[in-house]
């Protein structure tokens, strides 16, 4: 498929705050740049030259109704955008980096102690010998201590608050992707992501956070997010490459399964859930929070032709 791809070079620490950071006097960021943050930046640049709102058909198509998708910007390694590490990957405790994918087969030796992979991203490829090779990647983080007080010119006892920011460290590169149902929309959006431009992303711009430079902005004719590696299995294995919000149509509640979307239950799964939300600067209010199935979660299904067709359609969308 066609895709608008670009690199985000961090000139300053970038704070993409996530919920559930723990300490109320700290702000803990994601280890990637959310697509919603990139979308918000593009909307801001679009609004500088266009009058757009929810009643404008072009504005709705580009930013609101899902015809254009702003994917998360994940770290760049080995010249490409790496992806979330599957939660089905395990390694033996204190035994190096020999990985086993429990979604394919779980070892029957119960005497060994297994632990999940700590690195949030990975790059998987096939070596010249035909073996699957893995590199595990963890972005560098920048931790800084700040002090907030009512009067910045005067230190007053009991009126200062110390808090901590945990952000993405500068001098890293992240790869962003935009997909669209209509190819000409990619050309329209490309002008709002100009090559070499310095823009701001994330929070705390006045405190020295968020300056990034856009590089290698281009439209790729045959873009593919992931090509399967390894031998075929007798099962269908689905790995989420971003968080998923799935509702049960009967109750309206968010669930930690893909059954409402696929219409069938999984045989086994490796799942984590995290709370997602956000903040609307226009309203100056937080957005509703919801439990999402975390990127990297893995679901295993029995092979079915109709299920495979449904999954292929979902992947294309």
């Amino acid at each position: 498929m066609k895709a608008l791809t670009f690199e985000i070079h961090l000139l300053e620490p970038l704070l993409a705050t996530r919920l559930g950071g723990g300490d109320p006097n700290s702000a803990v960021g994601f280890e990637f740049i959310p697509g919603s943050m990139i979308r918000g930046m593009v909307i801001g640049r679009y609004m500088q030259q266009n009058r757009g709102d929810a009643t404008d058909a072009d504005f709705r198509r580009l930013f609101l109704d899902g015809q254009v998708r702003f994917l998360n910007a994940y770290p760049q390694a080995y010249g490409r955008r790496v992806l979330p590490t599957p939660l089905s990957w395990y390694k033996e405790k204190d035994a190096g980096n020999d990985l086993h994918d429990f979604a394919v087969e779980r070892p029957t030796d119960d005497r060994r102690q297994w632990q999940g992979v700590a690195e949030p991203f990975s790059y998987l490829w096939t070596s010249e010998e035909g073996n699957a090779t893995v590199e595990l990647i963890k972005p560098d983080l920048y931790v800084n201590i700040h002090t907030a007080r009512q009067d910045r010119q005067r230190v007053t006892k009991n009126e200062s608050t110390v808090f901590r920011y945990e952000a993405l460290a500068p001098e890293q590169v992240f790869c962003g992707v935009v997909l669209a149902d209509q190819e000409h929309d990619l050309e329209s959006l490309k002008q709002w992501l100009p090559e070499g431009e310095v823009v701001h992303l994330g929070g705390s711009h006045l405190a020295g956070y968020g300056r990034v430079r856009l590089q290698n902005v281009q439209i790729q004719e045959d873009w593919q997010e992931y090509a399967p590696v390894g031998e075929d299995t007798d099962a269908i294995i689905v790995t989420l490459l971003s968080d998923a919000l799935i509702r049960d149509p009967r109750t309206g509640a968010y669930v930690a399964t893909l059954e409402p979307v696929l219409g069938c239950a999984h045989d086994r799964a490796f799942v984590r859930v995290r709370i997602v939300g956000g903040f609307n600067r226009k309203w100056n209010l937080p957005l509703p929070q919801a439990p999402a199935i975390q990127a990297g979660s893995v679901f295993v299904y029995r092979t079915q032709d109709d299920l495979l067709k449904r999954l292929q359609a979902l992947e294309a969308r």
Side-chain angles (χ1 to χ4, degrees):
M1 66 181 71
K2 272 193 173 183
L4 174 60
T5 63
F6 51 94
E7 296 175 356
I8 302 175
H9 293 246
L10 274 55
L11 306 178
E12 294 177 341
L14 191 148
L15 185 63
T17 307
R18 62 180 173 89
L19 299 175
D23 187 347
N25 290 329
S26 66
V28 179
F30 286 108
E31 293 178 307
F32 59 90
I33 304 174
S36 58
M37 181 176 292
I38 299 169
R39 170 176 163 269
M41 179 270 292
V42 175
I43 289 176
R45 296 177 62 81
Y46 177 92
M47 295 290 287
Q48 291 175 5
Q49 300 184 26
N50 298 272
R51 183 186 178 277
D53 56 34
T55 63
D56 181 75
D58 289 337
F59 186 85
R60 289 193 63 84
R61 187 183 72 257
L62 290 173
F63 302 116
L64 299 181
D65 65 6
Q67 292 190 51
V68 176
R69 276 86 65 193
F70 292 80
L71 306 192
N72 295 331
Y74 290 142
Q76 183 187 82
Y78 305 97
R80 61 162 293 161
R81 174 174 176 263
V82 299
L83 296 172
T85 300
L87 298 181
S88 60
W89 287 3
Y90 284 80
K91 58 184 178 180
E92 189 177 356
K93 187 175 181 180
D94 301 325
N97 291 323
D98 187 15
L99 301 180
H100 296 260
D101 190 349
F102 284 9
V104 177
E105 182 180 10
R106 178 161 186 164
T108 57
D109 187 351
D110 293 332
R111 293 173 298 176
R112 289 186 284 181
Q113 290 183 303
W114 298 99
Q115 62 182 16
V117 177
E119 291 81 357
F121 298 99
S122 57
Y123 176 45
L124 178 64
W125 76 96
T126 302
S127 65
E128 294 181 356
E129 295 77 19
N131 300 319
T133 303
V134 176
E135 291 290 343
L136 301 175
I137 293 110
K138 181 176 177 60
D140 295 330
L141 300 179
Y142 172 89
V143 179
N144 199 13
I145 305 298
H146 295 266
T147 303
R149 53 180 182 265
Q150 294 180 349
D151 186 349
R152 296 188 178 186
Q153 307 302 321
R154 184 167 57 94
V155 177
T156 306
K157 187 177 181 180
N158 298 328
E159 290 188 2
S160 298
T161 301
V162 176
F163 59 98
R164 186 187 71 161
Y165 278 172
E166 185 177 298
L168 294 170
E171 300 182 6
Q172 297 184 93
V173 180
F174 289 75
C175 298
V177 181
V178 180
L179 304 176
D181 290 345
Q182 302 182 39
E183 294 180 2
H184 64 82
D185 285 338
L186 297 178
E187 294 287 353
S188 299
L189 291 166
K190 186 178 179 182
Q191 63 181 308
W192 312 116
L193 292 165
E195 179 83 22
E197 190 85 2
V198 175
V199 299
H200 280 88
L201 288 172
S204 297
H205 298 168
L206 298 180
Y209 291 82
R211 286 178 68 249
V212 304
R213 176 177 286 110
L214 304 175
Q215 298 283 10
N216 292 330
V217 182
Q218 58 183 315
I219 294 178
Q220 295 191 28
E221 296 290 334
D222 188 21
W223 180 84
Q224 187 177 16
E225 187 161 27
Y226 171 72
V229 170
E231 300 177 357
D232 292 336
T233 69
D234 58 356
I236 297 174
I237 301 174
V238 179
T239 304
L240 296 185
L241 303 184
S242 64
D243 294 347
L245 290 166
I246 307 295
R247 283 183 183 269
D248 186 328
R250 296 167 298 177
T251 65
Y254 291 101
V255 293
T257 174
L258 303 182
E259 186 172 354
V261 177
L262 300 180
C264 62
H266 54 260
D267 280 358
R268 58 189 185 277
F270 307 84
V271 177
R272 289 181 192 159
V273 175
R274 65 178 164 204
I275 302 299
V276 297
F279 192 86
N280 188 302
R281 291 183 179 177
K282 184 70 173 179
W283 301 340
N284 201 31
L285 290 170
L287 298 175
Q289 300 178 12
I293 308 174
Q294 185 173 320
S297 294
V298 176
F299 299 84
V300 183
Y301 301 87
R302 295 176 185 173
T303 300
Q304 306 171 47
D305 290 340
D306 58 339
L307 173 60
L308 190 58
K309 291 178 181 178
R310 289 198 297 273
L311 284 167
Q312 289 169 341
L314 285 171
E315 184 181 18
R317 280 166 41 199

